[in-house]
Structure formats: structure tokens, C-alpha cells
Amino acid sequence: MLRALFAHAVVKTVPKNTMLIAEGERTTDSVYLIQSGKVKVFLCSADGKEVDLDVLEPGDYFGEMGLDQGARSASVVSMERSQLAVIRKSEFKKFVAQNPDFAMQFILKLIARTRSLLKNVKRLALLDVTDRVARLLLDMATEEDGKLVITEKLSKRDIANRVGATREMASRVFKDLVSSGYIELEAQKITIAGRLPQHW
């Protein structure tokens, strides 16, 4: 159904680190479907500290939070060269109104994103940094040859932004997990070797 919605959309390719939506702006009037590439949704404080909310991949869409005419609630930047199908907000609203099945999918998608945000708020409020890092690694891991591995390249800054900590703190926790044998680094991937410490 998304294919029908974006059949007549404008397709554009953007390089890595292109700011697509800026938190607080009201000038953008589009909804985006990711056809290839990857984008990051994040918040930024006045002093420049970032907290990453989500990473979106092909098949995901973003920009729908502007449907209420309010200011953009988060920023979105491309993490790599990405191809996006762009449709005007008015066309998106018209499609939702005329397609009840899609409207229900849209509502369920918003519910899922809200649940994810609430889970992140819970982690930030109730878990210490070690537990937040452990939970992040478990959430990102996939099974490969009977092991839990993380193949996505993660810098210490990425980890810090995703768990709401300083780079120094995230780096220290990561080193502790390695030295304790909970995780192993090999061939540019992270393997979860033991039961991660967590109080979830």
C-alpha cells in the first residue's frame, strides 16, 4: 500500500550527514519513505548534546509527526547515502482519509513508535548506564551461528547518544564489559559471550 501512496512521489538521493528535518522547524511540508540507505532520528540540547531516538531503514517512513501543523519534534539526518521518496503532507493526509486499511496500519505504526519511546524513557529514568548499554547491545544483537552478534558499526559516540550518557562514561562501561568477558570484539563485530549484567 505504501507503494501506491508514493507512486507519484518525488525521488531524491541525499549524501551521508544530510539534515533532512530539524527539530523545532515548521517549514518542511513533506513525508519521506526510505527506499535505500539509513537515517537517524535524534534530539539535541542547547549545549549540543544528542540523544538518539531511532534508526530507520528501507521501508520506514518519517515526517508524519508534522501532520498536526506543529513544530518538528525531532531532527532526522542521513547516516549514509540514501534514496528517499518525498510526498507532500496534503497528499499523505488525503491518502490516509481515503484508505481505511492504511489508516489503521498508520495508527498501529504510531503506537509501536510510542511504545518504543516509552521504553527508552523508562531505561533513561530507571536504569544505570551499565544496564542501558547492556540493554542496547541485547536489543541490537541478532543470532548468527548460534551466537548473539552485532554487525552494525558502533562508535563510542553512537553508544553514548543512544543511552543518554557521556562518551567517556559509555566508553568506560564498554571496556568493562569487554574485560569482564561479557562481550568480545572480533572482525569488526561485537559478540555477546556471556550473560550481560542487567536489572531489567
Side-chain angles (χ1 to χ4, degrees):
M1 195 167 291
L2 278 176
R3 186 176 299 175
L5 170 61
F6 286 92
H8 304 292
V10 175
V11 177
K12 69 176 184 178
T13 301
V14 298
K16 181 180 179 180
N17 293 328
T18 299
M19 184 67 74
L20 302 165
I21 292 176
E23 181 182 354
E25 72 179 358
R26 294 175 180 269
T27 56
T28 55
D29 188 35
S30 301
V31 178
Y32 303 79
L33 172 69
I34 304 171
Q35 295 187 329
S36 65
K38 188 183 300 183
V39 306
K40 177 177 70 174
V41 185
F42 67 98
L43 300 175
C44 191
S45 66
D47 60 1
K49 182 179 179 181
E50 289 185 12
V51 176
D52 294 346
L53 300 178
D54 205 354
V55 173
L56 305 179
E57 300 182 331
D60 289 327
Y61 55 88
F62 61 93
E64 76 283 359
M65 292 295 286
L67 293 177
D68 65 351
Q69 309 302 322
R72 295 294 187 173
S73 55
S75 298
V76 182
V77 66
S78 58
M79 300 177 68
E80 58 190 43
R81 181 180 173 87
S82 303
Q83 187 175 70
L84 309 170
V86 187
I87 187 171
R88 291 182 63 83
K89 189 165 55 179
S90 58
E91 289 299 314
F92 187 86
K93 292 173 70 173
K94 180 180 177 181
F95 188 86
V96 171
Q98 294 177 347
N99 294 270
D101 288 344
F102 176 79
M104 179 55 67
Q105 292 179 20
F106 180 58
I107 291 170
L108 293 175
K109 183 74 170 181
L110 290 177
I111 291 172
R113 287 185 176 178
T114 301
R115 288 186 189 279
S116 178
L117 286 173
L118 289 174
K119 182 185 289 186
N120 286 337
V121 170
K122 179 181 178 181
R123 291 175 187 171
L124 291 173
L126 302 180
L127 301 181
D128 64 23
V129 177
T130 298
D131 288 336
R132 279 183 253 160
V133 173
R135 189 70 256 175
L136 171 68
L137 296 176
L138 284 173
D139 286 347
M140 295 185 66
T142 56
E143 190 169 342
E144 184 178 291
D145 297 326
K147 297 181 178 180
L148 289 176
V149 300
I150 301 165
T151 56
E152 179 180 333
K153 185 177 180 180
L154 274 178
S155 69
K156 301 305 185 297
R157 174 62 63 190
D158 292 332
I159 294 173
N161 289 347
R162 295 192 190 189
V163 301
T166 64
R167 183 186 181 282
E168 293 73 20
M169 176 61 78
S171 180
R172 185 159 62 249
V173 168
F174 192 83
K175 288 179 180 178
D176 287 345
L177 292 175
V178 173
S179 62
S180 299
Y182 290 111
I183 59 177
E184 297 175 352
L185 302 179
E186 54 179 273
Q188 295 187 339
K189 68 181 179 181
I190 301 169
T191 300
I192 297 177
R195 189 174 188 279
L196 285 168
Q198 54 176 312
H199 310 291
W200 187 247

